[in-house]
Amino acid sequence: MSIEIKNISYTYMPKTAFEHQALKNVSFTIKEGEVTAIAGHTGSGKSTIVQHLNGLLHPSEGQVLVDGTDLNKKGSEAIKARQLVGMVFQYPEHQLFEETVEKDVGFGPRNLGVSEEETEKRVKEALDFVDIDYETYKDVSPFQLSGGQKRRVAIAGVLALKPKYLVLDEPTAGLDPRGREELLSRVWGLHKRKKATLIFVSHKMEDVARIADRLIVMNHGELMLDAPPKEAFLEEEILKNAGLTVPATVRLLTELKERGFAVDPAAFTMEEAARRIAKAVKERRRGTC
Amino acid sequence: MTVHGDGYMSFIEIKDLTHIYHAGQENAKEALSKVSINVEKGEFVAVLGENGCGKSTLAKHINALLLPTDGCCIVDGMDTNDVTKVWDIRQQVGMVFQNPDNQIIASVVEEDVAFGPENLGIPRDEIKKRVDEALKAVDMERYRAFAPHLLSGGQKQRVAIAGALAMHTKCLVLDEPTAMLDPKGRSEVMSAVKKLNKEQGITIIYITHFMEEAAEADRVIVMEKGKIFAEGKPQEIFARVDDLKRLRLDVPLASAIAWNLKKQGIYIPDGIVQEEELVEALCQLK
């Protein structure tokens, strides 16, 4: 089972003075259980792609198949296929609207006619997953929570719909470093524990390196690169043209390598980079003695 | 801070400032608690702190978008509590917010930059001159006739900065201006801000969650739950790795690695915050 993007092109406002082709013949397949990161600068077409994944936009040309169903088809089959894909937009906390956390998270399932008993169960599970205590917060207004908490409640609202594929558009933007860390590990846990298929948009190559199996780089509506992060980070030129940077650890180690240290730059965490530097420093010392 | 004679005032003086949202109501919430800060003219100050610690509340006091519940905020000798001074204060202190799409109002870049001075009733020729200068200062002259929605996030933020410059603002308060930008946009905004600070002496107050950006400031202020937790040079602040982690913050990569290497017994000098400094220090090792 998979999401197949087949040769899609998308043009905004066709046949007007504002006509703009946002996607040009893009193809890729997202397999169940994978974690895919999509990166690119503002206007590269990444948000346009993301909106195709659950049929918010339909391609001008080409097809999007979710578990084999074309989202552009009429009828209940396409609607069901769209419901398999949950979408967490940028700044999802701006979409909170209910009076209490419980009502906000339960809104989706209730709206789809899920029984009250099942809804309650899903709300508890979803809140538990994003580390918001049900008993403490269920009757609290979502607007009284902190920024990081609001975002996690908003994500719980999507999780309560039990999507098979979860799409997150820049989930960590604007969070403090710890908040970013917590959210990433929660999302990662969703994949690890529940085998969720994740697709996330991010500018932060450090985040990509930590959790993605695969990185798709977009530039001017075209797919420029589709590779595991470790390979993708070596394509410095493509990344640079796409307005992206390699992770800071890779940049630092590359610089040291050029200055004569025996280090392999493919390290993506601070600890790993420090370990490699320490090793190179000690070896160098031994060499010069 | 140098001590001057009687009557000397810093450019911004915040004294025992307390701010309570919904004061007197059931849902009252104290966002700032007796905060005191001085900022000198031409200084570049970065403000760090976890989400909800009061950074934005503090920022909004500096141009009188919010008024203190208690204490005071004085900008260039003018008290924000003095209603007759509000417009003078706002002309001196320009604000740039996180979301570039929420602060651009005109349909052409140069009209957006001209909006502020037009509102002040400044003559047309003078406005034209100011718009030219402002767009040049942020390296956006080429885009003067563009529609803002055709610009990237980093370009939109620079237009927002130009809008403040056209008001001949003396101070820019930027509240997470790069949070929504891609890496290229972030570095464009950061270099524009640094240039304005260095070349035009504009006072900068820069709120951010990016430690690498804060490392470029003259002084870093760390907030915790509505109070000032620490302030000092980036080198001093980023040496306090454990404190910052406890406050849900981080340190720049170079500081973190230097700290880690030191723990492994490798000699690295104190005060490393930039990657180049770390590379140099490692090359000096014998």
Side-chain angles (χ1 to χ4, degrees):
Chain A
M1 291 290 151
S2 60
I3 302 181
E4 284 176 81
I5 308 281
K6 282 184 163 173
N7 305 99
I8 64 167
S9 295
Y10 187 81
T11 305
Y12 283 104
M13 295 190 272
K15 299 186 183 112
T16 70
F18 304 103
E19 182 171 309
H20 172 65
Q21 191 174 8
L23 293 178
K24 295 170 194 166
N25 197 19
V26 173
S27 300
F28 59 88
T29 302
I30 288 164
K31 288 195 225 84
E32 212 177 316
E34 255 186 344
V35 180
T36 305
I38 303 180
H41 60 76
T42 328
S44 63
K46 56 188 191 318
S47 295
T48 309
I49 284 202
V50 160
Q51 292 178 65
H52 278 82
L53 297 177
N54 73 342
L56 289 172
L57 292 177
H58 293 304
S60 311
E61 280 170 59
Q63 272 187 316
V64 179
L65 304 175
V66 174
D67 288 357
T69 305
D70 187 340
L71 295 186
N72 204 6
K73 267 211 252 171
K74 298 264 184 298
S76 62
E77 207 190 332
I79 294 177
K80 282 215 182 87
R82 290 169 67 159
Q83 288 174 3
L84 294 174
V85 186
M87 183 77 76
V88 179
F89 288 101
Q90 257 184 55
Y91 292 81
E93 59 272 29
H94 294 170
Q95 297 169 34
L96 295 169
F97 69 103
E98 271 285 10
E99 287 169 6
T100 69
V101 166
E102 197 281 330
K103 282 185 188 169
D104 206 286
V105 177
F107 179 80
R110 284 193 183 104
N111 203 28
L112 290 181
V114 172
S115 73
E116 195 48 40
E117 199 186 339
E118 168 71 10
T119 300
E120 196 187 317
K121 194 174 138 239
R122 288 192 187 187
V123 170
K124 280 183 183 163
E125 260 180 34
L127 286 173
D128 181 50
F129 215 90
V130 295
D131 207 16
I132 299 280
D133 186 59
Y134 177 81
E135 291 303 328
T136 315
Y137 290 102
K138 68 178 165 65
D139 296 324
V140 173
S141 161
F143 301 102
Q144 298 214 334
L145 303 176
S146 77
Q149 287 174 327
K150 275 188 199 163
R151 185 159 305 177
R152 284 184 278 148
V153 168
I155 291 174
V158 177
L159 294 179
L161 291 164
K162 298 225 159 174
K164 184 170 169 190
Y165 303 96
L166 181 65
V167 184
L168 303 120
D169 194 352
E170 294 199 48
T172 63
L175 294 184
D176 58 48
R178 174 88 69 86
R180 200 163 89 206
E181 193 59 37
E182 285 168 358
L183 186 60
L184 268 185
S185 59
R186 286 281 140 190
V187 168
W188 176 237
L190 210 55
H191 168 69
K192 270 290 191 211
R193 280 162 47 191
K194 304 210 166 170
K195 302 280 170 267
T197 308
L198 304 174
I199 299 115
F200 74 104
V201 173
S202 179
H203 295 314
K204 295 199 185 71
M205 292 301 125
E206 288 75 14
D207 294 1
V208 171
R210 278 201 35 209
I211 74 170
D213 297 317
R214 173 182 180 199
L215 171 65
I216 289 176
V217 175
M218 297 294 300
N219 195 9
H220 299 301
E222 292 179 81
L223 191 150
M224 303 306 292
L225 188 66
D226 181 354
K230 284 185 185 190
E231 291 170 29
F233 293 148
L234 303 176
E235 303 286 347
E236 209 169 334
E237 203 57 25
I238 294 179
L239 293 178
K240 206 175 139 204
N241 287 336
L244 302 169
T245 48
V246 297
T249 47
V250 176
R251 191 173 60 226
L252 178 68
L253 292 176
T254 306
E255 175 69 20
L256 285 170
K257 193 180 170 189
E258 280 166 13
R259 300 284 290 264
F261 286 84
V263 285
D264 170 8
F268 308 120
T269 63
M270 185 278 285
E271 290 80 10
E272 179 57 23
R275 200 182 62 75
R276 289 183 187 197
I277 293 172
K279 188 161 163 271
V281 165
K282 283 169 192 161
E283 273 169 17
R284 209 157 106 125
R285 231 178 241 163
R286 227 171 284 139
T288 52
C289 278
Chain B
M1 196 179 86
T2 38
V3 179
H4 296 248
D6 280 350
Y8 172 78
M9 288 195 79
S10 298
F11 180 58
I12 297 169
E13 292 200 355
I14 293 171
K15 275 189 214 142
D16 295 325
L17 193 156
T18 295
H19 189 87
I20 302 173
Y21 286 106
H22 312 291
Q25 293 174 37
E26 201 187 314
N27 56 349
K29 185 171 184 288
E30 191 178 66
L32 291 175
S33 172
K34 295 204 168 185
V35 168
S36 296
I37 302 171
N38 289 346
V39 177
E40 302 303 324
K41 191 162 259 177
E43 224 188 339
F44 182 167
V45 178
V47 184
L48 300 175
E50 66 171 305
N51 291 114
C53 75
K55 305 183 297 290
S56 299
T57 304
L58 180 68
K60 286 178 186 156
H61 278 85
I62 302 174
N63 76 341
L65 283 176
L66 289 177
L67 295 175
T69 309
D70 199 14
C72 65
C73 174
I74 296 168
V75 177
D76 204 9
M78 297 177 284
D79 191 331
T80 58
N81 272 316
D82 181 350
V83 285
T84 64
K85 298 285 193 222
V86 166
W87 297 105
D88 292 325
I89 290 169
R90 291 197 184 148
Q91 188 255 313
Q92 295 223 359
V93 181
M95 288 280 275
V96 176
F97 295 99
Q98 191 178 100
N99 189 340
D101 292 320
N102 290 352
Q103 44 198 340
I104 291 184
I105 39 141
S107 53
V108 180
V109 165
E110 61 181 355
E111 284 176 14
D112 194 81
V113 178
F115 180 81
E118 271 173 355
N119 249 356
L120 294 182
I122 289 166
R124 193 176 175 283
D125 288 347
E126 168 69 13
I127 292 179
K128 201 172 164 303
K129 197 171 135 246
R130 286 188 181 196
V131 171
D132 288 345
E133 284 169 0
L135 285 172
K136 188 154 183 263
V138 294
D139 198 20
M140 285 292 290
E141 306 133 284
R142 272 164 297 159
Y143 299 94
R144 61 181 310 144
F146 270 56
H149 73 271
L150 296 175
L151 303 178
S152 72
Q155 291 170 333
K156 282 180 203 166
Q157 288 299 56
R158 285 185 286 152
V159 170
I161 293 173
L165 295 179
M167 296 289 279
H168 285 179
T169 190
K170 290 181 190 162
C171 171
L172 279 175
V173 179
L174 303 108
D175 191 353
E176 290 192 52
T178 60
M180 298 182 75
L181 307 183
D182 54 41
K184 184 158 168 272
R186 270 170 55 196
S187 72
E188 286 168 7
V189 169
M190 195 64 202
S191 31
V193 167
K194 272 161 60 187
K195 189 174 136 199
L196 293 171
N197 177 248
K198 293 266 166 337
E199 292 176 11
Q200 303 196 18
I202 290 178
T203 308
I204 306 288
I205 294 166
Y206 194 100
I207 297 175
T208 185
H209 284 317
F210 293 107
M211 304 301 133
E212 280 74 15
E213 293 180 350
E216 310 243 17
D218 300 323
R219 180 156 60 115
V220 178
I221 293 176
V222 181
M223 293 185 64
E224 182 194 18
K225 298 199 171 84
K227 294 192 164 97
I228 306 292
F229 172 77
E231 57 177 307
K233 291 199 171 73
Q235 290 81 350
E236 295 159 10
I237 296 295
F238 290 129
R240 301 171 68 172
V241 178
D242 293 326
D243 280 338
L244 291 173
K245 296 248 177 198
R246 184 176 60 74
L247 294 177
R248 304 174 59 90
L249 300 171
D250 209 341
V251 297
L253 179 71
S255 309
I257 289 185
W259 181 73
N260 191 303
L261 292 176
K262 264 189 259 187
K263 282 206 306 195
Q264 300 188 46
I266 294 173
Y267 174 76
I268 303 277
D270 288 335
I272 284 188
V273 294
Q274 314 248 13
E275 283 168 33
E276 303 86 75
E277 296 167 353
L278 178 62
V279 171
E280 284 312 318
L282 286 168
C283 288
Q284 298 302 319
L285 283 178
K286 274 278 149 4

